[in-house]
Amino acid sequence: QQPVQSPQAVILREGEDAVINCSSSKALYSVHWYRQKHGEAPVFLMILLKGGEQKGHDKISASFNEKKQQSSLYLTASQLSYSGTYFCGTEIVGGFKTIFGAGTRLFVKA
Amino acid sequence: EAQVTQNPRYLITVTGKKLTVTCSQNMNHEYMSWYRQDPGLGLRQIYYSMNVEVTDKGDVPEGYKVSRKEKRNFPLILESPSPNQTSLYFCASSLRQGLNIQYFGAGTRLSVL
């Protein structure tokens, strides 16, 4: 039931782009994205509700394809501050809890 | 300041010695959860509560207890800790189910010897 995130890890140079994917086998009501820096708590980035919308937050945006039960997080022109572990959290239709993926470790180097 | 407060931040204990990790939120959120985080496994939900006196099991509830007597507090109880409960624990709250944006506490790193 845990959503599957890919890739597990990615290394970028400053200014490069990255895409992180999150896939579920269940019908989803919403997908959330969080970033966790080393030694800190996860911090909410954005939420996508079913409807296939795309959201943006500075140079970080995300999409949600409810037919495929997939979401993608897009990081463009990456900065050193983007380094961390990214988690997707999913709420299934009719469910009462958020289930998180195993995370994608992102490292941006100068 | 809106926040979720967990205590203690670090705890070392021995097998079988009961312990409680406290969690308090000041945002009047209905929904609260406990997660454990282990390398490669992400955040796994232990228990959650949809409101006062309403709690339910998450994905990994064995060996844990919770209570929700007040809206702001959601303590996690380990009645007889074992080494496999060594982990990083997070408490989180959210406004409501269906718009379940989670606000996390700073975490409690527990070691059970």
Side-chain angles (χ1 to χ4, degrees), chain A residues 1-2 29-30 32 34 36 39-44 47 49 85 87 91-92 94-103, chain B residues 9 31 35 37 40-45 48 50 57-59 88 90 96-107:
Chain A
Q1 204 173 7
Q2 183 180 39
Y29 175 80
S30 71
H32 316 177
Y34 296 80
Q36 183 180 31
E40 299 180 7
V43 174
F44 171 76
I47 182 171
L49 303 177
T85 301
F87 293 98
E91 289 184 85
I92 63 173
F96 294 98
K97 56 186 184 179
T98 301
I99 303 174
F100 287 89
Chain B
R9 292 290 314 280
Y31 197 95
Y35 296 90
Q37 185 174 26
L41 298 178
L43 293 153
R44 293 182 294 165
Q45 193 176 50
Y48 63 98
M50 291 179 280
K57 295 177 181 179
D59 297 314
L88 178 58
F90 287 102
R96 59 177 174 85
Q97 178 251 336
L99 195 63
N100 206 4
I101 299 168
Q102 311 257 334
Y103 296 86
F104 287 87

Side-chain angles (χ1 to χ4, degrees), chain B residues 13-60:
Chain B
T13 189
V14 295
T15 300
K17 186 177 181 181
K18 181 179 178 180
L19 66 91
T20 300
V21 184
T22 64
C23 175
S24 180
Q25 51 96 2
N26 63 0
M27 295 171 278
N28 202 34
H29 283 170
E30 290 183 358
Y31 197 95
M32 297 185 75
S33 297
W34 275 103
Y35 296 90
R36 62 178 287 173
Q37 185 174 26
D38 303 289
L41 298 178
L43 293 153
R44 293 182 294 165
Q45 193 176 50
I46 303 169
Y47 269 94
Y48 63 98
S49 169
M50 291 179 280
N51 215 322
V52 175
E53 302 291 2
V54 182
T55 63
D56 205 351
K57 295 177 181 179
D59 297 314
V60 288

Side-chain angles (χ1 to χ4, degrees), chain A:
Chain A
Q1 204 173 7
Q2 183 180 39
V4 177
Q5 283 187 236
S6 63
Q8 290 185 336
V10 58
I11 300 174
L12 300 173
R13 290 192 180 277
E14 256 187 309
E16 291 182 338
D17 302 339
V19 180
I20 300 171
N21 300 303
C22 175
S23 179
S24 174
S25 60
K26 303 282 187 180
L28 298 178
Y29 175 80
S30 71
V31 179
H32 316 177
W33 286 96
Y34 296 80
R35 177 170 62 205
Q36 183 180 31
K37 292 188 176 288
H38 183 69
E40 299 180 7
V43 174
F44 171 76
L45 292 175
M46 64 188 76
I47 182 171
L48 301 103
L49 303 177
K50 72 176 193 171
E53 62 180 290
Q54 183 151 350
K55 282 205 164 185
H57 176 71
D58 196 8
K59 292 184 178 137
I60 300 175
S61 62
S63 64
F64 177 24
N65 184 327
E66 65 178 288
K67 288 184 181 177
K68 293 185 177 180
Q69 310 308 327
Q70 290 176 350
S71 178
S72 295
L73 185 71
Y74 306 95
L75 300 102
T76 58
S78 59
Q79 305 167 17
L80 295 175
S81 62
Y82 286 4
S83 293
T85 301
Y86 290 78
F87 293 98
C88 67
T90 56
E91 289 184 85
I92 63 173
V93 174
F96 294 98
K97 56 186 184 179
T98 301
I99 303 174
F100 287 89
T104 295
R105 297 181 69 177
L106 182 85
F107 179 69
V108 181
K109 56 183 181 180

Side-chain angles (χ1 to χ4, degrees), chain B residues 1-7 21-29 32-34 68 70-76 91-93 103-106:
Chain B
E1 180 189 352
Q3 60 185 2
V4 178
T5 303
Q6 282 181 240
N7 281 298
V21 184
T22 64
C23 175
S24 180
Q25 51 96 2
N26 63 0
M27 295 171 278
N28 202 34
H29 283 170
M32 297 185 75
S33 297
W34 275 103
R68 187 97 180 270
E70 304 168 281
K71 198 171 187 178
R72 61 182 291 127
N73 295 324
F74 190 44
L76 179 70
C91 177
S93 73
Y103 296 86
F104 287 87

